[in-house]
Amino acid sequence: MAPPDVSDEHLVMQAQQGDQEAFLILYNRYLNKVYNRVKSRVPLQDAEDVTQEIFIAVLRSLPTFEHRSRFNTWLYTLVNRQIVDFYRRSYRKQEQQVLSLEASHELDLAAENGGEVEIRILMQQAMHHLPENYREVILLRFADGLTFAEIADARQQTLEATKSLYRRAIQALTERVNRKSSGSPGSTTG
Amino acid sequence: MDHQDQQLDEQLAIYTDAVLAGKPDESGDLPEALSAEAATVQLLQAIIRPQEGVEPAFRHQLTKTLKAEWRQQPRRSAPALWKRYRVAMTLAAACLLLIAGLWLAGVNTLNSTDTVGTAQGTMETLLVTLLFGAGVLTLLFLLLRRRS
């Protein structure tokens, strides 16, 4: 499809000038990455809806992108904003239905393999509350599939500093999951 | 940095690479100090499953949705380029106005009669008036574009 050497910024410029094909190249380039990021933070059954909302938001906001930052930085900011919006909407809906987040998750648990779903929810909640730089280094490795060397390059850090940041991020995530897990009734994780 | 810490960083990175490649056993012996982190890495891999990506049906449907959405969008312009053009056009319009204004003022105050009333003078006045009008119109256009 797209020549891999065409930069995101060039494609954005073309899309801003009305080139639909350029937009579709960008979309195909980032669809899996965005979906993986969404999967790491929202319930699986909502991941596709949230991904769709993100790309529609990208399409609508593209004319306002002023090239002050890299396209992927702008895109991932938009991803974060849409995920926050998703949770805001969920909480509002649950308040209306007098349902807690845990209660709705219990419905999920009944529908699927309980333990696995519960761990997924704990992990997503922990990811959601992780400091930005910790969450980013984890997502760059798992969702974007960058190597540690590529992450170091993107963050303009040394490889050692990146690996150190990554271990601290995983430690923080582990602590949060364990903390939530020990406070959650019927949990199987330790 | 502490040498032991650095070693743990390295081992966790190697373990993560192995897990993401689907070969966690090939990463060598993991120290006890990293067992909890290793479990988290496995969980993350199980949850995100980066190698899977989106379902083809979802990709197809989303592509269709985005194409439809694209057609509904108003005609795009390149804002970054437009900004640069706007600055250049404003400067050009201002210069045009200044030159035309100075010329008209010069003709009126000095009461220069050597060309006024002649065919050449009429042409010059017409040309300068046109330039002046073009400058005003350009500035008006820019002002309206900025407001919209």
Side-chain angles (χ1 to χ4, degrees):
Chain A
M1 226 208 156
D5 53 341
V6 178
S7 73
D8 292 348
E9 283 65 31
H10 184 73
L11 290 170
V12 171
M13 287 266 239
Q14 285 183 306
Q16 283 179 324
Q17 284 161 358
D19 185 345
Q20 191 196 52
E21 191 58 31
F23 174 77
L24 291 175
I25 293 170
L26 271 175
Y27 150 72
N28 278 303
R29 197 176 272 183
Y30 280 97
L31 177 59
N32 277 336
K33 291 176 182 180
V34 168
Y35 181 65
N36 286 340
R37 280 176 177 250
V38 172
K39 258 199 305 185
S40 74
R41 290 171 64 191
V42 307
L44 191 57
Q45 69 270 22
D46 296 310
E48 289 187 351
D49 286 347
V50 175
T51 303
Q52 174 161 319
E53 283 165 16
I54 288 167
F55 278 100
I56 289 176
V58 168
L59 195 151
R60 288 178 182 165
S61 311
L62 207 60
T64 64
F65 177 63
E66 291 185 347
H67 301 263
R68 285 190 193 143
S69 60
R70 292 177 65 180
F71 171 72
N72 59 2
T73 309
W74 178 78
L75 172 67
Y76 292 151
T77 307
L78 222 143
V79 170
N80 288 340
R81 209 180 298 150
Q82 290 290 326
I83 290 173
V84 170
D85 280 354
F86 164 79
Y87 277 107
R88 201 176 291 146
R89 283 199 307 270
S90 301
Y91 288 133
R92 213 177 291 150
K93 210 160 138 192
Q94 281 162 14
E95 272 173 20
Q96 283 167 0
Q97 294 172 346
V98 203
L99 269 173
S100 68
L101 183 69
E102 285 72 25
S104 79
H105 286 157
E106 277 169 20
L107 295 175
D108 297 336
L109 285 171
E112 291 184 52
N113 178 348
E116 193 187 312
V117 175
E118 189 174 10
I119 290 167
R120 172 186 282 275
I121 291 162
L122 288 174
M123 186 66 91
Q124 284 168 338
Q125 287 177 343
M127 277 291 278
H128 197 60
H129 293 106
L130 218 54
E132 178 66 33
N133 59 339
Y134 283 0
R135 189 170 56 224
E136 194 55 28
V137 74
I138 291 174
L139 289 176
L140 284 171
R141 185 67 193 97
F142 282 86
D144 291 11
L146 298 189
T147 63
F148 285 105
E150 287 168 336
I151 297 170
D153 196 39
R155 295 181 58 85
Q156 297 180 319
Q157 278 182 322
T158 62
L159 187 57
E160 290 72 29
T162 301
K163 286 178 180 175
S164 170
L165 176 70
Y166 172 72
R167 184 161 73 92
R168 279 182 279 129
I170 294 289
Q171 276 175 339
L173 186 62
T174 308
E175 279 167 25
R176 278 174 188 271
V177 170
N178 287 345
R179 212 182 306 145
K180 279 178 179 284
S181 167
S182 58
S184 160
S187 166
T188 52
T189 53
Chain B
M1 189 198 284
D2 187 282
H3 178 68
Q4 200 187 348
D5 270 344
Q6 208 168 346
Q7 211 172 355
L8 289 174
D9 295 342
E10 189 60 38
Q11 281 172 311
L12 187 65
I14 291 171
Y15 181 74
T16 303
D17 289 342
V19 167
L20 285 171
K23 299 164 186 167
D25 299 336
E26 289 182 16
S27 62
D29 286 338
L30 210 61
E32 187 63 29
L34 285 177
S35 59
E37 285 81 355
T40 302
V41 167
Q42 285 195 357
L43 270 176
L44 274 171
Q45 200 273 345
I47 287 170
I48 301 177
R49 288 186 217 133
Q51 65 284 359
E52 281 182 11
V54 300
E55 294 282 329
F58 172 61
R59 181 187 288 269
H60 179 71
Q61 172 261 315
L62 183 53
T63 308
K64 262 176 69 180
T65 306
L66 290 173
K67 281 181 177 173
E69 182 71 26
W70 180 276
R71 282 193 293 273
Q72 286 171 13
Q73 290 293 301
R75 222 162 63 87
R76 285 163 176 72
S77 63
L81 283 176
W82 165 241
K83 264 192 173 175
R84 276 178 228 158
Y85 287 141
R86 198 167 59 194
V87 172
M89 281 170 78
T90 310
L91 281 174
C95 284
L96 223 63
L97 281 176
L98 193 71
I99 292 166
L102 282 175
W103 192 90
L104 286 173
V107 167
N108 290 332
T109 54
L110 296 173
N111 198 19
S112 166
T113 54
D114 45 350
T115 56
V116 175
T118 65
Q120 189 197 347
T122 312
M123 274 303 287
E124 277 179 11
T125 312
L126 190 70
L127 200 69
V128 171
T129 311
L130 279 174
L131 283 177
F132 190 79
V136 171
L137 282 175
T138 312
L139 281 179
L140 267 175
F141 169 72
L142 291 170
L143 208 70
L144 289 173
R145 267 304 288 255
R146 197 174 179 170
R147 278 188 188 168
S148 63

